[in-house]
C-alpha cells in the first residue's frame, strides 16, 4: 500500500504538495509549489509577467507572504478580472520583464482547440514548433539577467492535437531560435503514483533525469502528465535577436497513447475486415463459378426436363389419341355386340321357324303315312268290295286329289325349309363375320392397351430420369460444399506456409546478421555498432529480452554518442525497424520491461568510453 507523503524534493529542496482543491489531482500539485518557490526566490520582482492565467486560482494568503500581487497576466482566451486577453506573440519586444513564468501553457500555443472547447486556436492551420517559438518569445521579453520559469509535459514527443508533449530532442531545437544553450536549465519530475479517488488529491512525484522520463506518455498509465520538465531561462545579454523565420525540423511526432491504441484496434479491425472481405470475395467468386456451373447444369437439366416434358406431353397426346381410339373401338365393339345380339335373336327366330317347319314336315309325313295307310285300307277294301269300287274310286280320286294337295303342301314345305336353311346359312355367315370383326376389335384393343402400357412405362422412365437429375443436382451441391471446405483448408495451409516462410526469413536474417557480426569482429567499432543494434532488435522481436540487453550493452562500446543520445538512437532504430516491418513499436512495454530497466541502470552506472579505448580493447 502506497504511503502518501505531504512533500517532494526538487533540486535537493523539499517542497510541500499543493493542497488547494482546484484542478489539483494533476501535475498542478507540483507545478504550483515550484512556481511560488521560483517567485519567492527572485532577486528582482518589479516587473513580472505570467503567461497563462494559472496562479490566480491558488494565490490566496500565500501571495501576501511572497509579495507577488503586482504582475501582468496575459491569456489569449480566458476572460477574468486582471487578465489581459493578448497573444503572447503580439507583445512588444521593447517591453522587458525581470521575471516571466508560465505553468503548462506554452505547449498549447499554436495548437487546436482543447477537447472541452474552453480554449485553443479555432483553425486547422497548426504550427508544431509554435511552443518553441513561444519560449523564444519569452526569452526575448526578459531583461538582461532576467529569469523565466516554464513547465511543460515531458516524455515521448507527442502531437496531442491540442498540445505538444516535449521531448529531449524537441527541447534541443530551442538553440536554432537563438537561445544560447547555457541560458537553459532543465529539470524533470516523474509521477510515481496517484490515489485512485479523484477527491483525495494525493500524488507521489520524484525528481528524475531526462533519460528516465524519455519514454513517459501523456495520460498513460496514469491520468494527465506522467512527467514534466521545469525549464529555467536566464537572459545572458541583449544580443539576442528574435527571429521566427526558421525552417521547421522534421521530427517524428507520436500520437497520444489512447489514439495509438484506437488506431491499433482500428488496424486490427481493418485487417480483419480486409481478410474477411478478401475471403468473402474469394468465396463469392467461387460461389459465382459454382453458381454458373450449377446454372449451366440447371439449364442442361431444364433442357432435359423440357425434352422429357415434351416427350411426356407427346406421350400424353398419343395416350389421349389411343384412349380416343379405344373409346371408339369400345363403341364399335358395343355396336358389334348389339348387332351380334340382334343376329343371335334373328337366328333364334329362324331356328324357331325351322323347328316349326320341321314339326309341320313331321306332321305332314305322319299324315302322309296315315294317307298311305288309308290307301292300303282302301285297296284292301277295293279288293274286298268291288261293289264299292266306284265309291271307292271316287274316294280314291278324292284321296289322290288330297294326296296331290298334300304333295304340293310338302313341296311348299320343302321349299320353305330350303329358304329357311339358306337364311340360316346367311345368319351363320353374318355370325362368323361378326365374330371376325369382334376378334379384330379385340386385337385392336389389345394393341391399344399394349401401347398405353408402353406410354405409361415411358412416363415412369421420364419420371425416374427427372428424379436422377434431381439426385445429381443434390450431389453437385454436396460436392460444392466439399469444394468450399477444401478451399478453406487450402487457405489455412497457405496462411501457415506464409507464417513459416516469414519465420524462415527471420531466421535467415538472424543467421546473416550473426555471420556479419562474426565477419566484422576485426572491423572498426563504428561499423559494428548498427549491426549490434539490429541484432538487439531481432532479439526483441523474438522475445529474447536478455539477448537484446546484451547486444545493446555491447553496442555501447562501439559508439561515441552520449548515453542519452545512444538510448534515443536505440529507440529510434527500433521504431524504424518496426516501421520497415509494418509494425508499431510499443515503447511503453519495452521501456517498462525488467531487462530494459537493468540496461538503463547499467547505462547510468557505466563510465563513457572513447572510441579509441573501445578499439584498443577490441583488438587486444
Amino acid at each position: 500500500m502506497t504511503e502518501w507523503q505531504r512533500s517532494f524534493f526538487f533540486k535537493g529542496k523539499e517542497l510541500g504538495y499543493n493542497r488547494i482543491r482546484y484542478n489539483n489531482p494533476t501535475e498542478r500539485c507540483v507545478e504550483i509549489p515550484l512556481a511560488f518557490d521560483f517567485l519567492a526566490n527572485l532577486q528582482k520582482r518589479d516587473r513580472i509577467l505570467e503567461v497563462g492565467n494559472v496562479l490566480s486560482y491558488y494565490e490566496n494568503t500565500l501571495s501576501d507572504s511572497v509579495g507577488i500581487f503586482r504582475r501582468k497576466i496575459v491569456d489569449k482566451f480566458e476572460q477574468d478580472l486582471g487578465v489581459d486577453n493578448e497573444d503572447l506573440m503580439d507583445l512588444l519586444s521593447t517591453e522587458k520583464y525581470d521575471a516571466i513564468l508560465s505553468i503548462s501553457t506554452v505547449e498549447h500555443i499554436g495548437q487546436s482547440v482543447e477537447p472541452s472547447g474552453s480554449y485553443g486556436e479555432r483553425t486547422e492551420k497548426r504550427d508544431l514548433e509554435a511552443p518553441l517559438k513561444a519560449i523564444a518569445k519569452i526569452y526575448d521579453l526578459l531583461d538582461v539577467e532576467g529569469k523565466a520559469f516554464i513547465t511543460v509535459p515531458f516524455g515521448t514527443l507527442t502531437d496531442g492535437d491540442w498540445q505538444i508533449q516535449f521531448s529531449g530532442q524537441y527541447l534541443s531545437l530551442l538553440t536554432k531560435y537563438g537561445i544560447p544553450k547555457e541560458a537553459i536549465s532543465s529539470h524533470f519530475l516523474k509521477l510515481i503514483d496517484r490515489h485512485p479517488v479523484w477527491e483525495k488529491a494525493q500524488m507521489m512525484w520524484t525528481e528524475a533525469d531526462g533519460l528516465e522520463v524519455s519514454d513517459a506518455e501523456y495520460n498513460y498509465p496514469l491520468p494527465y502528465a506522467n512527467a514534466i520538465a521545469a525549464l529555467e531561462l536566464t537572459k545572458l545579454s541583449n544580443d539576442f535577436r528574435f527571429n521566427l523565420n526558421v525552417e521547421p525540423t522534421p521530427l517524428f511526432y507520436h500520437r497520444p497513447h489512447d489514439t495509438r491504441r484506437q488506431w491499433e484496434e482500428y488496424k486490427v479491425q481493418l485487417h480483419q475486415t480486409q481478410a474477411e472481405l478478401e475471403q468473402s470475395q474469394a468465396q463469392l467468386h467461387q460461389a459465382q463459378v459454382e453458381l454458373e456451373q450449377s446454372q449451366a447444369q440447371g439449364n442442361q437439366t431444364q433442357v432435359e426436363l423440357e425434352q422429357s416434358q415434351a416427350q411426356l406431353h407427346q406421350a400424353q397426346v398419343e395416350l389421349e389419341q389411343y384412349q380416343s381410339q379405344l373409346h371408339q373401338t369400345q363403341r364399335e365393339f358395343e355396336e358389334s355386340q348389339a348387332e351380334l345380339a340382334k343376329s343371335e335373336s334373328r337366328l333364334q327366330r329362324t331356328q324357331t321357324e325351322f323347328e316349326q317347319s320341321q314339326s309341320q314336315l313331321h306332321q305332314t309325313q305322319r299324315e302322309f303315312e296315315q294317307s298311305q295307310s288309308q290307301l292300303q285300307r282302301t285297296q284292301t277294301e277295293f279288293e274286298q268290295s268291288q261293289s264299292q269300287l266306284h265309291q271307292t274310286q271316287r274316294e280314291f280320286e278324292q284321296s289322290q286329289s288330297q294326296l296331290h294337295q298334300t304333295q304340293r303342301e310338302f313341296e311348299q314345305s320343302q321349299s320353305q325349309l330350303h329358304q329357311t336353311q339358306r337364311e340360316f346359312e346367311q345368319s351363320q355367315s353374318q355370325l362368323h363375320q361378326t365374330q371376325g370383326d369382334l376378334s379384330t376389335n379385340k386385337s385392336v384393343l389389345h394393341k391399344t392397351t399394349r401401347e398405353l402400357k408402353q406410354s405409361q412405362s415411358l412416363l415412369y422412365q421420364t419420371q425416374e430420369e427427372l428424379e436422377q437429375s434431381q439426385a445429381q443436382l443434390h450431389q453437385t451441391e454436396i460436392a460444392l460444399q466439399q469444394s468450399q471446405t477444401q478451399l478453406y483448408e487450402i487457405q489455412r495451409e497457405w496462411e501457415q506456409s506464409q507464417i513459416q516462410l516469414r519465420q524462415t526469413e527471420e531466421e535467415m536474417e538472424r543467421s546473416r546478421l550473426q555471420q556479419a557480426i562474426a565477419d566484422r569482429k576485426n572491423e572498426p567499432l563504428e561499423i559494428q555498432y548498427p549491426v549490434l543494434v539490429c541484432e538487439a532488435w531481432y532479439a526483441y522481436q523474438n522475445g529474447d529480452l536478455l539477448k537484446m540487453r546484451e547486444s545493446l550493452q555491447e553496442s555501447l562500446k562501439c559508439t561515441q554518442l552520449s548515453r542519452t543520445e545512444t538510448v534515443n538512437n536505440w529507440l529510434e532504430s527500433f521504431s524504424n525497424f518496426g516501421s520497415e516491418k509494418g509494425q508499431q513499436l510499443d515503447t511503453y512495454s519495452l521501456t517498462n520491461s525488467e531487462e530494459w530497466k537493468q540496461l538503463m541502470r547499467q547505462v547510468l552506472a557505466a563510465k563513457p568510453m572513447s572510441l579509441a579505448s573501445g578499439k584498443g580493447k577490441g583488438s587486444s
Side-chain angles (χ1 to χ4, degrees):
M1 183 176 179
T2 303
E3 182 178 355
W4 303 107
Q5 304 294 328
R6 300 185 62 87
S7 61
F8 66 98
F9 287 90
F10 182 76
K11 296 169 57 176
K13 184 177 182 179
E14 186 175 8
L15 301 173
Y17 286 107
N18 173 46
R19 298 293 173 182
I20 299 175
R21 294 181 179 271
Y22 176 76
N23 201 23
N24 194 44
T26 67
E27 55 269 27
R28 294 290 186 275
C29 68
V30 291
E31 288 179 324
I32 300 306
L34 291 176
F36 281 121
D37 182 69
F38 168 76
L39 293 173
N41 290 281
L42 287 174
Q43 299 297 324
K44 296 174 64 176
R45 59 182 68 177
D46 295 333
R47 294 167 296 169
I48 299 177
L49 172 66
E50 182 180 0
V51 178
N53 183 29
V54 176
L55 293 184
S56 62
Y57 292 98
Y58 305 92
E59 286 181 290
N60 300 324
T61 56
L62 183 60
S63 302
D64 298 333
S65 63
V66 297
I68 58 170
F69 278 111
R70 297 184 61 184
R71 70 183 185 278
K72 179 180 177 66
I73 303 175
V74 295
D75 193 307
K76 186 176 181 179
F77 301 102
E78 187 171 344
Q79 296 181 355
D80 199 0
L81 184 64
V83 177
D84 295 336
N85 297 126
E86 297 182 70
D87 190 334
L88 168 66
M89 308 306 290
D90 294 337
L91 296 182
L92 297 176
S93 297
T94 56
E95 186 175 357
K96 304 298 182 180
Y97 296 90
D98 296 324
I100 302 175
L101 73 159
S102 178
I103 305 302
S104 289
T105 298
V106 297
E107 68 268 21
H108 302 293
I109 293 177
Q111 309 309 309
S112 298
V113 180
E114 184 261 344
S116 67
S118 301
Y119 59 85
E121 302 291 347
R122 300 182 181 275
T123 177
E124 295 183 358
K125 185 177 181 181
R126 296 173 57 219
D127 183 358
L128 296 180
E129 292 189 9
L132 299 175
K133 297 175 182 178
I135 296 176
K137 179 65 176 180
I138 290 174
Y139 186 79
D140 179 55
L141 293 174
L142 286 174
D143 200 356
V144 177
E145 296 184 357
K147 295 185 178 297
F149 181 78
I150 303 168
T151 62
V152 292
F154 188 84
T156 301
L157 181 59
T158 304
D159 177 8
D161 193 54
W162 63 290
Q163 68 172 5
I164 299 294
Q165 175 167 284
F166 283 49
S167 69
Q169 191 177 18
Y170 189 74
L171 273 178
S172 65
L173 300 181
L174 286 174
T175 55
K176 80 173 184 177
Y177 289 100
I179 304 177
K181 187 174 182 180
E182 57 271 18
I184 306 170
S185 176
S186 303
H187 296 83
F188 307 93
L189 285 171
K190 180 180 181 181
L191 176 60
I192 303 300
D193 198 4
R194 58 153 291 176
H195 200 285
V197 180
W198 177 272
E199 290 77 8
K200 292 292 185 179
Q202 292 177 326
M203 306 185 77
M204 182 179 295
W205 289 75
T206 183
E207 193 170 10
D209 61 22
L211 187 60
E212 288 183 79
V213 295
S214 61
D215 58 348
E217 297 266 7
Y218 189 86
N219 228 14
Y220 182 82
L222 298 172
Y224 302 102
N226 281 248
I228 64 170
L231 309 178
E232 295 182 16
L233 306 180
T234 302
K235 188 67 171 288
L236 301 180
S237 67
N238 285 325
D239 295 337
F240 177 75
R241 294 293 180 266
F242 185 54
N243 181 18
L244 299 180
N245 295 324
V246 180
E247 290 294 326
T249 301
L251 296 179
F252 178 75
Y253 293 80
H254 292 81
R255 300 301 295 174
H257 180 270
D258 292 342
T259 303
R260 296 203 310 273
R261 180 172 52 81
Q262 291 176 356
W263 283 2
E264 290 297 326
E265 293 175 355
Y266 292 153
K267 285 171 65 178
V268 171
Q269 293 176 358
L270 179 60
H271 180 69
Q272 183 177 359
T273 303
Q274 287 177 341
E276 292 175 354
L277 178 60
E278 292 175 356
Q279 185 177 0
S280 300
Q281 288 177 342
Q283 291 177 353
L284 178 61
H285 178 70
Q286 181 67 21
Q288 286 176 343
V289 173
E290 293 170 353
L291 178 60
E292 291 175 357
Q293 294 177 352
S294 299
Q295 286 178 344
Q297 293 178 354
N299 292 334
Q300 184 177 358
T301 304
Q302 187 173 5
V303 171
E304 294 175 354
L305 179 60
E306 291 175 354
Q307 293 176 353
S308 301
Q309 289 177 343
Q311 293 176 356
L312 177 61
H313 179 70
Q314 182 67 25
Q316 288 177 343
V317 171
E318 294 176 355
L319 178 60
E320 291 175 357
Q321 292 176 354
Y322 293 150
Q323 287 177 344
S324 176
Q325 293 176 359
L326 177 61
H327 291 158
Q328 184 176 358
T329 303
Q330 287 177 344
R331 286 195 299 270
E332 293 176 354
F333 177 69
E334 290 173 356
E335 291 175 356
S336 300
Q337 284 182 336
E339 291 179 357
L340 179 60
K342 291 179 182 180
S343 299
E344 288 178 349
S345 177
R346 289 196 300 269
L347 179 60
Q348 288 177 356
R349 287 197 302 271
T350 303
Q351 287 178 345
T352 302
E353 292 175 356
F354 177 70
E355 290 175 355
Q356 290 176 356
S357 300
Q358 283 183 340
S359 177
Q360 290 176 1
L361 179 60
H362 290 310
Q363 181 67 27
T364 302
Q365 286 177 347
R366 282 193 303 272
E367 290 176 356
F368 178 71
E369 290 175 354
Q370 289 174 2
S371 297
Q372 285 181 343
S373 177
Q374 287 176 3
L375 178 58
Q376 289 176 356
R377 284 194 303 268
T378 299
Q379 287 176 349
T380 302
E381 287 177 356
F382 176 72
E383 290 175 354
Q384 292 176 0
S385 180
Q386 285 291 328
S387 60
Q388 295 178 355
L389 178 62
H390 294 294
Q391 186 177 354
T392 304
Q393 182 85 25
R394 289 193 297 273
E395 291 178 357
F396 176 72
E397 289 176 357
Q398 291 177 356
S399 297
Q400 284 291 330
S401 177
Q402 290 178 356
L403 178 61
H404 290 303
Q405 181 73 27
T406 301
Q407 286 179 342
R408 285 194 298 270
E409 289 178 358
F410 176 73
E411 290 175 357
Q412 290 177 355
S413 296
Q414 287 289 335
S415 178
Q416 289 178 356
L417 177 60
H418 290 305
Q419 182 67 27
T420 300
Q421 286 179 345
R422 283 195 300 272
E423 291 178 356
F424 176 73
E425 290 175 356
Q426 290 176 356
S427 299
Q428 288 288 339
S429 177
Q430 289 179 355
L431 177 61
H432 289 307
Q433 185 177 359
T434 302
Q435 288 178 345
D437 293 339
L438 180 60
S439 298
T440 303
N441 292 334
K442 286 182 178 179
S443 176
V444 173
L445 177 62
H446 180 70
K447 181 179 180 182
T448 303
T449 304
R450 186 170 63 251
E451 291 177 351
L452 177 61
K453 290 181 179 179
Q454 290 177 353
S455 299
Q456 289 178 343
S457 175
L458 180 62
L459 176 60
Y460 292 148
Q461 183 178 358
T462 304
Q463 288 178 344
E464 289 177 356
E465 291 177 355
L466 178 59
E467 291 175 355
Q468 289 176 359
S469 299
Q470 291 176 345
Q472 290 177 357
L473 179 59
H474 179 67
Q475 186 175 2
T476 302
E477 291 177 351
I478 295 174
L480 174 60
Q481 293 177 354
Q482 293 176 351
S483 299
Q484 289 177 345
T485 303
Q486 291 176 358
L487 177 61
Y488 175 74
E489 292 293 333
I490 291 172
Q491 288 179 341
R492 187 169 60 185
E493 291 176 358
W494 182 80
E495 292 174 355
Q496 292 177 354
S497 299
Q498 290 293 322
I499 294 173
Q500 293 176 356
L501 179 60
R502 286 196 294 271
Q503 292 176 350
T504 303
E505 289 177 349
E506 291 178 357
E507 291 176 358
M508 291 176 64
E509 188 66 25
R510 285 197 300 272
S511 298
R512 287 197 295 268
L513 186 61
Q514 291 173 357
Q515 185 62 37
I517 293 174
D519 294 341
R520 296 184 176 183
K521 285 185 177 180
N522 296 324
E523 294 183 0
L525 294 180
E526 59 270 18
I527 298 178
Q528 297 181 22
Y529 173 77
V531 177
L532 290 169
V533 174
C534 185
E535 182 186 24
W537 157 255
Y538 278 107
Y540 169 70
Q541 281 295 99
N542 294 323
D544 190 355
L545 300 184
L546 180 61
K547 177 65 175 176
M548 175 200 72
R549 188 190 70 187
E550 293 174 353
S551 298
L552 293 178
Q553 188 174 0
E554 185 68 21
S555 71
L556 283 173
K557 303 174 183 179
C558 306
T559 179
Q560 290 181 335
L561 297 174
S562 66
R563 289 173 298 172
T564 300
E565 290 173 338
T566 301
V567 173
N568 285 334
N569 180 262
W570 289 346
L571 294 173
E572 289 177 1
S573 298
F574 275 33
S575 178
N576 292 334
F577 292 151
S579 299
E580 291 175 359
K581 297 290 185 179
Q583 302 173 2
Q584 181 70 38
L585 177 64
D586 189 351
T587 308
Y588 176 77
S589 173
L590 172 62
T591 56
N592 279 274
S593 64
E594 185 61 31
E595 288 77 3
W596 183 271
K597 292 179 180 179
Q598 292 177 4
L599 177 62
M600 292 300 101
R601 287 194 291 269
Q602 293 172 355
V603 169
L604 295 174
K607 294 182 179 180
M609 295 181 62
S610 65
L611 194 59
S613 62
K615 289 181 179 179
K617 185 177 180 179
S619 60
S620 61

